[in-house]
Each structure stands twice: as structure tokens, then as C-alpha cells.
Amino acid sequence: MSSFEHALILLLLVAALSIVTRWLPWWPPLITYLAGGVGVALIPSFPHLALDPGFFFLCFLPPLLFSDGWLMPLREFLRAKRPILLLAIGLVTFTTLAVGFVAHWLIPGLPLAMAFALGAVVSPTDAVAINAITVRLRVPARLSTILDGESLMNDATGLVAFKFALAAVVVGSFSITTALAQFSLLSVGGFAVGLIVGYGIGRLRDLLMHLQVSDSLIEITLSLLTPYAAYLAAEHLGFSGILAVVAAGLYSGWRDPVHMDAETRQSAFAVWELLIFWLNGLAFVLLGLQFPHLVSAVSDNYSTFQLILFPFVVAGAAIAARLIWVYPATFFPRFFKKIRAKESKPSRGAVFIVGWAGMRGTVTLAGALSIPLLMPDGRPFPHRDIVIYLAFGVIAVTLLVQGTTLEWLIHRFGIREDENRPKEDLLARITAVTAGLKTLKAMEHSATTPEMTASLDAVIEEYERRLASLTAQGETRTRARRRRSASFHYRAAALHAERQAIDDLWRAGTIIDEVHRPLQQLLDHEESLLRGSAPPPTPEG
């Protein structure tokens, strides 16, 4: 069976397991992918897939980190930079040390440097697992930003620390002062290279659009290549490719929304969403496929009891380290008057949610699997299998324990959406409609025929109705919302009837594909616009 056939089977498996996750909404999807991979690996006829560590790291991590940066709201990220950095740097360091010392004490023969590598690789949290819950429950914007920003930055700091620990394993020594100096150089240099690459590719895309030699397909292709360009450029120059990808993602996320046209923006989101879905699913399926071989490798050196005990103890150390860190990191800075004046006091429930939202995922997995197979002298890399096995265990335990209880705890502590988001949404809508209405009224003098005047008046009337609906108060607002809801349902029914009519004509052979397809795309576009403006449920009474 060829590699291409293997890839097709893996994608089909990801799709099938994704269907299973729809039947189990309370169950973490990543665990389903993991279990599915293990199940398939136990089929005797299924071939063993050997993974190249370097290829796996390069293939999976740059786009995953870039997408996290691309979707990060930069303004909110900068406003919450203090708690984010305390988590992304302070907590990563604390977790690396805590898990490292526990693993070194617990696991016979595990060197301290390799134990620290384990601590570093399990320190990044998983944005996908956390967002699946926080987005659905619409938690306060600041809480969501802190968790997303931490996940973005601790991916970078954790993986950089992981590489330093692996380097210490190879050379057999470690100097804190040297490591700090190298970390600073790698970080600053990597971030700078990422910004330069992101800016350069952005300017190239602007130039191509200005020369009218680009389109949405070329734009999206360049967007997909940006994380790899940033990573490879930084690594070639001796800097951190991980931080370069993060920087390029942050810059592109700030640039793209206002430089892309509507078609490119919609298509880019769809392409990136599909790519991230594939990568997350494939990563865990691949880990599941490695699991029987991994267990076989570590069972020669450790008993069954130890192989059950170790992952729970190491995961417990990672969970405890996070909970121990978040309270002093949240409340100690409030002794400073300047911080108290700028930031409202968080509730203890919100702080606990931050501490409990520590699920590990794809970044931990990709980092662990990137451990080289061999040392530079050709010897097997020491303790590689047990570190990957424990990383596997930490991912599974945190997803099962924290991932299945986080939603309940958010409800239990009464964590709800704050008032700022609806207010900002209303302000943006009113501002946009007002700007459109002002432009339309400025065009009244250009309507030189009765037909143009009638058309312009109809559009102005529609905008005035929208503005009146947005600015209405009390009972008037309630009636306006009910009208919007009724209008939405009537328009949806009419679109469904239109679609059914042209589909029937096409099936009957009355119209050809070249006529059917553009009309279908037009109705798809109208339906997207309609669903994007769907009103919230209106309470009766």
C-alpha cells in the first residue's frame, strides 16, 4: 500500500471519527481520534506507519501555530499581555520544573534533562480543546483572550524550552546563564524574522493585487505558505522558528481582515478551517496508530502497574502546578495600585476556570513525536519512548478529566458573557448602517432618471428601517425584533423554494450545468448573507 493510499485512509478515518464525536457532544473529540487510531492499529492487517520526527514537526506545527496567531484579536491580546505573559512564561517555567522534578523522582533512570524535556513539552495548552467550550458558552471576552493568548504564547515558549532540554540531553550539560542568553537571542531574533516575513509577504500580496495579477486562489496559497516561510527562514538564520511563526501569524491576523476582499476572506477562512481540522484529526489518529508499538517498547523496561501509574502522576503534577500558579499570579500583582486602577478584580471562579482550562493537545503531541530517533553518534535517543508515552498519557488524562468537566464548572461558577460584547456589536452595526445611509443620501443628486430615483429611494428606505430597528428602545425594539425574525423565516422559506425549483429544472434536463451552477452559487451567497443576519431568539411575552 502506497503512502498516498495511507493518507486517504487516514483522512477517511478522521471523517468517520468526526461523525462519532457528533453523537458524543460531551466527549472530547481529540480523545475520539486517539481511540480510533489505537483501534485501527490493533487490526493485524493494517500496516505500521513509521513517522519521521522532523517531518511531523515541520508539517503540523507551523500552520497550527500560525492559525492561532492569525485568529488572535491583537487589541485584546495587548490589553491582557500581563496575565498572558505570566502564564506563557512564568507558568511554563514552573510547569517544566515541577513536572521535571516529579518525573525524575518517579521514573527509574530518567535523567533530569530528559525529565525537563517532558515537563516543557506538556506545558503548552491546547487552544482547540479550550475554544470548543469557551466559544460555545460565550464566556467573558477577557477570559477568552487570556486563555487563547496563553495557548498561543506558551506553545512557543514551551517548545523553545523543550528544544533546550533536548540539547542538554545531547551535550550532557546545562548552563542557566547560557540558556537564558540563548533563549533571549532566539526569541527576539525569531520574532523579528517572523514579523519581517509576514510583512514582506503581505506587501507582495498587496503588489500583486495592485497590478491586478492576483486572485483569491493566489492570495490563499501565499497565506498557506507564510507559516512555512517564517519557520524555515528563522531556522536557517539560527533563530526560533516557532516564535517566527507566531509573529507572522499575529501580523497577518492584523493585516488580512482589512486587505482581503470579501471573496478571499470567506474562502481563506474556509480553507484554513479545513486544514486545521485535518491536522488536528490526523495528529491524534497517527498517535493512536503508534500506541501499540509505543507500549511494546516501554513495557520491556517498566511493569504494567508503573505504566498505569506514571501518566496519572505526571498529569496530576501538571494540573496541580497550574492550579498552584494561577492564584498568586492573579492576585499578587494587585498589590500594585496601578494594576488595581487599570484592571477590575477577577472572581475566584474565573481564576479557577483559568487554572482548570489546562487541556493538552496537538502541540504537545507534535513536540513529543519530534524527539529524534538517534543521537548524533548514532545511538538511540535515550528514554524517547517513555517520554512520548507520558506525553500521550498527560494529553489523555487532561482531556478526559478537565475537558469533560470544564463546561460544568463554567456553569457552576456562573461565568457568563460580559456586557461589552453586545454593546460593541450594536455600536458597530449602528455605525456601519449610518455610514451606508449617509453615502446613499449623498448620491441622491446623481439619480437623474425616475428609475434611478425609485431604486435609490427603495434602498434608502431599507437602510432607514434597519437603523430604526437597531436604535429602537423598549416595546418598539421588541416589535422590531419580532419583525426581523418573521422576515428571516419568510426569506429562508422563499430561498428554499427557489433552490428546489432550479434543482428540479436541472434534474429534469431543462437547464444545463452552466446555467444551474451559477444560479446555485447565487442562492448560496444569498443564504449565507441571510444566515449571517439571523436574529437572536426573541422571548415571547
Side-chain angles (χ1 to χ4, degrees):
M1 190 178 292
S2 67
S3 298
F4 181 73
E5 291 172 316
H6 288 158
L8 293 179
I9 291 173
L10 291 176
L11 287 175
L12 180 61
L13 185 58
V14 168
L17 293 170
S18 298
I19 295 173
V20 175
T21 64
R22 299 297 180 94
W23 297 334
L24 305 170
W26 47 270
W27 186 260
L30 299 182
I31 288 292
T32 304
Y33 297 136
L34 196 60
V38 173
V40 171
L42 296 176
I43 299 175
S45 60
F46 195 87
H48 172 67
L49 300 179
L51 298 178
D52 177 75
F55 172 79
F56 189 87
F57 192 88
L58 177 61
C59 178
F60 282 79
L61 277 185
L64 290 172
L65 295 177
F66 182 85
S67 69
D68 288 345
W70 195 48
L71 296 173
M72 174 59 58
L74 191 57
R75 181 190 65 176
E76 288 78 7
F77 177 84
L78 293 175
R79 287 178 177 175
K81 59 182 179 296
R82 182 191 61 79
I84 288 173
L85 292 177
L86 280 174
L87 291 168
I89 298 177
L91 178 55
V92 164
T93 304
F94 185 59
T95 302
T96 300
L97 295 175
V99 172
F101 282 121
V102 168
H104 177 66
W105 163 79
L106 178 70
I107 300 165
L110 184 67
L112 192 57
M114 203 61 181
F116 285 152
L118 172 64
V121 84
V122 301
S123 60
T125 51
D126 186 69
V128 174
I130 296 169
N131 273 337
I133 297 172
T134 58
V135 171
R136 185 175 69 254
L137 299 183
R138 299 184 71 85
V139 301
R142 181 174 174 84
L143 176 59
S144 178
T145 299
I146 289 173
L147 291 174
D148 290 344
E150 178 213 357
S151 179
L152 172 66
M153 297 306 296
N154 69 16
D155 288 349
T157 54
L159 290 173
V160 172
F162 173 66
K163 286 186 172 292
F164 273 105
L166 290 183
V169 174
V170 172
V171 300
S173 62
F174 182 78
S175 168
I176 294 180
T177 55
T178 302
L180 288 175
Q182 290 180 346
F183 179 83
S184 301
L185 177 62
L186 290 174
S187 301
V188 174
F191 208 84
V193 170
L195 289 177
I196 292 170
V197 170
Y199 175 80
I201 293 179
R203 294 294 293 173
L204 173 62
R205 291 163 61 184
D206 290 341
L207 177 62
L208 294 176
M209 292 298 293
H210 177 72
L211 297 175
Q212 298 183 346
V213 294
S214 185
D215 56 24
S216 61
L217 299 178
I218 297 173
E219 281 268 294
I220 295 170
T221 300
L222 291 174
S223 173
L224 292 172
L225 291 175
T226 301
Y228 295 104
Y231 180 85
L232 293 173
E235 290 289 321
H236 179 72
L237 295 172
F239 299 122
S240 170
I242 299 300
L243 280 166
V245 172
V246 170
L250 286 171
Y251 175 81
S252 298
W254 170 80
R255 172 206 172 274
D256 288 352
V258 293
H259 284 260
M260 285 180 170
D261 58 32
E263 179 187 0
T264 303
R265 190 161 45 245
Q266 290 178 339
S267 300
F269 273 105
V271 169
W272 271 101
E273 186 177 17
L274 177 62
L275 178 64
I276 299 308
F277 165 71
W278 280 359
L279 292 178
N280 278 305
L282 286 172
F284 276 81
V285 168
L286 285 170
L287 176 58
L289 292 173
Q290 307 302 308
F291 186 70
H293 176 75
L294 194 60
V295 171
S296 175
V298 296
S299 60
D300 293 338
N301 300 314
Y302 305 98
S303 67
T304 302
F305 174 75
Q306 288 176 315
L307 292 179
I308 296 174
L309 175 69
F310 290 168
F312 283 98
V313 174
V314 173
I319 293 171
R322 185 176 180 88
L323 290 171
I324 291 170
W325 177 268
V326 293
Y327 283 97
T330 300
F331 293 112
F332 280 0
R334 296 191 60 78
F335 284 112
F336 296 95
K337 184 177 180 181
K338 185 177 180 181
I339 291 178
R340 291 199 305 273
K342 288 175 58 179
E343 302 176 6
S344 59
K345 184 179 180 180
S347 66
R348 293 187 179 275
V351 177
F352 184 84
I353 292 300
V354 172
W356 195 249
M359 294 85 82
R360 273 60 174 183
T362 310
V363 172
T364 291
L365 167 60
L369 290 176
S370 72
I371 299 175
L373 296 171
L374 302 174
M375 297 280 280
D377 59 5
R379 291 182 294 118
F381 205 96
H383 305 283
R384 179 181 188 270
D385 292 331
I386 189 62
V387 168
I388 296 176
Y389 174 81
L390 291 174
F392 175 104
V394 171
I395 293 170
V397 171
T398 55
L399 286 174
L400 286 173
V401 175
Q402 297 177 302
T404 57
T405 56
L406 181 61
E407 182 172 348
W408 177 82
L409 286 169
I410 290 174
H411 287 300
R412 176 68 178 81
F413 286 112
I415 308 297
R416 298 183 181 89
E417 180 182 26
D418 53 38
E419 297 180 357
N420 291 333
R421 190 178 331 195
K423 289 180 179 178
E424 288 188 11
D425 179 79
L426 181 61
L427 173 63
R429 291 177 183 269
I430 292 175
T431 303
V433 173
T434 301
L437 186 59
K438 181 179 179 181
T439 299
L440 290 170
K441 289 186 174 181
M443 298 171 66
E444 287 180 317
H445 68 279
S446 64
T448 56
T449 66
E451 293 80 8
M452 293 175 65
T453 301
S455 298
L456 182 59
D457 288 345
V459 179
I460 289 176
E461 183 181 354
E462 179 186 346
Y463 267 73
E464 287 176 339
R465 282 199 306 268
R466 289 172 59 190
L467 185 61
S469 175
L470 290 168
T471 56
Q473 300 294 329
E475 183 64 25
T476 304
R477 170 173 286 187
T478 301
R479 289 197 299 269
R481 285 179 176 175
R482 287 173 178 169
R483 285 197 301 271
R484 285 177 58 206
S485 179
S487 175
F488 170 81
H489 291 297
Y490 293 145
R491 288 176 181 270
L495 278 173
H496 178 75
E498 288 187 64
R499 188 186 304 280
Q500 187 68 43
I502 67 166
D503 287 349
D504 288 344
L505 289 174
W506 175 70
R507 291 192 188 98
T510 307
I511 59 176
I512 61 175
D513 283 10
E514 285 74 9
V515 173
H516 175 256
R517 194 174 296 115
L519 290 174
Q520 192 178 52
Q521 291 173 348
L522 176 62
L523 291 176
D524 289 344
H525 178 66
E526 291 184 8
E527 184 175 337
S528 297
L529 291 176
L530 181 64
R531 296 197 179 280
S533 62
T538 304
E540 296 295 331

